[in-house]
Amino acid sequence: MIVILLGPPGAGKGTQAAAISRRLGIPHVSTGDIFRANLSEGTPLGLEAKGYMAMGELVPDDLVVRLVADRLSRPDAAGGALLDGFPRTVGQAEALEDILASRGSKVDVCLLLDVPDADLLARLSGRRVCRRCGSGWHASFSPPPVDLKCPKCGGEIYQRDDDMEETVTSRLAVYRRQTRPLTDWYGAKGSLTVVHGTGTPQDVEKDIEKALSAGGAR
Ligand code: ADP
Ligand code: ZN
């Protein structure tokens, strides 16, 4: 089963993705995480993505599409995947259709995690994440341990470069211009389900569970 998690930066996609992927037993594929891992390892892919990420802009479609095609061809994704942060443009969504069609599959559901614009800036500029496992905290809403050591994996908790305020503003603009049109695109195909992302992570998780079982996915 292929599930897409769509939503603005700061909507809580990473947190929810971990829960959904556990529940459905499909791997969590986050293009942002893959780029960050490549960046910290200094791979050619990481170097290519670096400038775009630092500006809050999208990495070119062809690069991302190749990466996702490769990821989906791995054995652990044979039964499906949860896509977080991909597709982000209509071009990427079209390419995904082709990739999936070539293996006789399709997008089962696109979950839109909806959070009002007004909340996003505060969420993103206070966001802190674990460098190793990606777990998240918020400087004021759910502060990380003072030693900045991740209780789950011992990794370092830090603030992503692109969570600084200037970059956040451009990421939100990029989302509105390039990614939000996908809600209509998946809406027209009948695969869009909207879940409100403003409650506690547990509330949101319950709503997602409901939405997934209503859609026939368990
Ligand atoms: P966000 O918190 O904005 O959802 P991500 O961790 O998903 O952030 O992505 C961080 C950055 O990685 C993006 O701003 C972009 O530069 C790049 N990126 C991630 N996924 C994609 C994609 N599907 N297409 C283009 N660029 C991407
Ligand atoms: Zn961790």
Side-chain angles (χ1 to χ4, degrees), residues 62-82:
D62 59 326
L63 195 69
V64 189
V65 167
R66 261 188 288 137
L67 175 107
V68 172
D70 175 68
R71 180 64 188 86
L72 291 179
S73 68
R74 297 228 213 117
D76 68 334
L82 171 69

Side-chain angles (χ1 to χ4, degrees), residues 14-214:
T15 308
Q16 294 304 328
I20 304 168
S21 128
R22 233 180 293 122
R23 192 178 137 78
L24 298 178
I26 51 178
H28 171 198
V29 174
S30 157
T31 43
D33 285 352
I34 296 174
F35 284 131
R36 276 185 293 278
N38 278 276
L39 204 62
S40 70
E41 287 159 23
T43 69
L45 178 71
L47 291 177
E48 229 176 308
K50 187 175 179 168
Y52 300 102
M53 292 178 73
M55 304 276 290
E57 280 164 20
L58 296 184
V59 172
D61 281 357
D62 59 326
L63 195 69
V64 189
V65 167
R66 261 188 288 137
L67 175 107
V68 172
D70 175 68
R71 180 64 188 86
L72 291 179
S73 68
R74 297 228 213 117
D76 68 334
L82 171 69
L83 297 174
D84 162 10
F86 179 92
R88 249 173 158 98
T89 63
V90 170
Q92 291 179 16
E94 285 166 350
L96 176 63
E97 296 241 300
D98 294 343
I99 295 170
L100 295 176
S102 74
R103 33 181 253 178
S105 144
K106 61 172 182 46
V107 171
D108 294 285
V109 51
C110 175
L111 284 173
L112 170 66
L113 203 51
D114 201 21
V115 172
D117 284 0
D119 295 350
L120 296 171
L121 198 64
R123 282 194 182 197
L124 285 165
S125 49
R127 175 157 79 174
R128 302 292 182 269
V129 291
C130 170
R131 224 181 250 287
R132 196 180 300 163
C133 75
S135 296
W137 290 265
H138 189 281
S140 21
F141 310 145
S142 68
V146 282
D147 62 359
L148 299 180
K149 225 174 164 197
C150 174
K152 292 179 199 157
C153 78
E156 181 207 0
I157 298 171
Y158 80 122
Q159 178 173 34
R160 274 168 45 178
D161 287 347
D162 64 351
D163 280 346
M164 307 290 173
E165 199 162 329
E166 318 81 69
T167 318
V168 163
T169 313
S170 70
R171 281 161 64 209
L172 290 173
V174 164
Y175 174 78
R176 276 183 223 118
R177 196 173 59 241
Q178 297 184 265
T179 308
R180 199 140 69 185
L182 283 178
T183 59
D184 289 337
W185 201 83
Y186 283 109
K189 292 190 179 287
S191 36
L192 187 76
T193 300
V194 182
V195 172
H196 294 285
T198 27
T200 65
Q202 293 74 19
D203 290 341
V204 177
E205 193 179 329
K206 281 204 202 89
D207 287 348
I208 290 180
E209 273 173 31
K210 270 189 237 148
L212 287 174
S213 22

